[in-house]
Amino acid sequence: MKRKWLGRSAVLAALVLLIVGVTAGAAFAADPKPVFDGKLIPAPSDVGVSLNLLWVIISAVLVIFMQAGFALVETGFTRAKHAAHTMSMNFAIFGLGFVAFFIVGYAFMFGGYTAGGVIPFGYDKAVGDHLIGSGNWVFLWHGGFFLTNLPSLALTAPVAAFFLYMVAFMDTTATIPTGAMAERWRWKSFVAWGLFVGAIYYPLFGAWTWGGGWLAKLGNSLHLGFGYVDFAGSGVVHAMGGIAGLAGALVLGPRLGKYGPDGKPRTLAAHSIPMALLGTFILLVGWFGFNAGSTLAATDVRFAVIATNTALAAAFGATVAMFYAMRRLGKPDPGMMANGMLAGLVAITAPCAFVQPWAAAVIGAIAAVIVVESILFIERKGVDDPVGAISVHGVCGIWGVLSVGLFASGQYGAAWNGTAEGSAAKASGVSGIFYGLDPGLGQLGAQAIGSLVIIFVMGGVAYLFFKICNAVTKGGIRPAEDVELQGIDREEMGVIAYNDLTLAELVLAGEDPAEDKVLASTTSPDPTIGR
């Protein structure tokens, strides 16, 4: 009886599928439409707008989950005696940056934002206006402080969704310096950074770029391609975090025991490589929300290309870093493999929507070589970066920004940044110099200007912030030497990460406080293994 019922059910299901298939085929034959013509497909109805809002929210959740990946990577690559402090910074930065961005950051960055003339998720009116500057030369916006005083009730859901997505991006910038400055950063100074980055540092450059400010308008004002183009944030998010990490590391100085009397770097071994690699995988998954989600619309099917480009850059980054480390260092350093994958992801973030898959592979492969050499170079120059954040996010972020001006194919991004003048306005999409000097050369120029602003202007802002904090904070922004030697967990956090971590185990792990100053005799001579 049971078999007979199953058989009848299978026949019935087959008939239903057949009817649906015939109906769908007839409908397609009667009204054939192109799936993608290189331009954003507007949401056709309220259902489309709702679908796109759902897309933005799901993407925001994926990006927020990246905080877990950062926490595991940074904690794994540092030492056990500082693990609670490092993990706590990655946990707390979410709330600190979120609060500051909610109060003022969003208004400063997106007060004049609209969704580019289309309404993929209902964001069709700006919540405010320019605060400093006007026309093509806006330097700061206002409107939407505390997400209040919105122009219309219809904007409430779109603004809320966009805020949630963008605050997740801001928290990524905020958390990058916690890796570069790990194991030697006082908690109170870190808290000040979390509020500063959400309120001022990130919104300032964001207002100039994604907010529609002067860098975004270089295509109209100076006829430089489509202005500064950064699809998902190689520069706006990652390079900004990387350059801030460099500024903070310079102010803090290296960890005790990192450099010997001869000035040569020593290995301060990571306490959990598996933890760091797991974090890298989590970041890979979250990155699809980062990049593909930046279409802000499921109806823009370019997200399929973006997702594939993201995966290609990650795969080539990890693989090339492995082979390059084997040739350069003699062994496939797991840390270099992880950073190679992250470098590929960071580099493809700006050009992911504008390049072909072959170019994504090339960008990721080059980023892998860059990150290995950058880590070694920065370490030799006396800058102590426990996790390679400066190289991964800062150096490879700049490479990603410049890649737009090199590899963009011109198939996507027509009228990007509202460009309405010059040859770029007539082009079908954002184009790099490999696809023609006009407007490719101008596009590369806009990308170069944006990169220089990140390095010198925003890097200067971050350096000044850390110097002021160091000057006004009693005792400076670095713990006392004895506190750092014993591990900052107990002094700074009131707990230790691992309750069963005894002094004897610290000695066996090469983490005896008394051993830090003579670590060179007990660790690998290779300064890259176990960062």
Side-chain angles (χ1 to χ4, degrees), residues 87 206 301 422 444 498:
M87 182 66 77
V301 296
L444 184 59
Y498 306 104

Side-chain angles (χ1 to χ4, degrees), residues 295-322:
T295 59
L296 302 177
T299 51
D300 180 357
V301 296
R302 187 71 177 185
F303 73 77
V305 177
I306 295 168
T308 301
N309 284 345
T310 300
L312 280 168
F316 273 80
T319 304
V320 172
M322 178 189 69

Side-chain angles (χ1 to χ4, degrees), residues 9 22 31 76 85 98 137 201 208 287 350 388 390 400 411 413 425 443 473 504:
S9 298
V22 171
D31 185 21
H85 186 271
F98 201 113
W137 297 96
Y201 180 73
W208 301 344
W287 227 288
I390 298 167
Q411 293 184 340
Q443 190 61 57
T473 303

Side-chain angles (χ1 to χ4, degrees), residues 313-328:
F316 273 80
T319 304
V320 172
M322 178 189 69
F323 283 117
Y324 192 73
M326 291 170 66
R327 182 178 182 277
R328 185 80 162 79

Side-chain angles (χ1 to χ4, degrees), residues 350-367:
C352 58
F354 308 107
V355 301
Q356 296 298 303
W358 70 266
V362 172
I363 292 168
I366 294 175

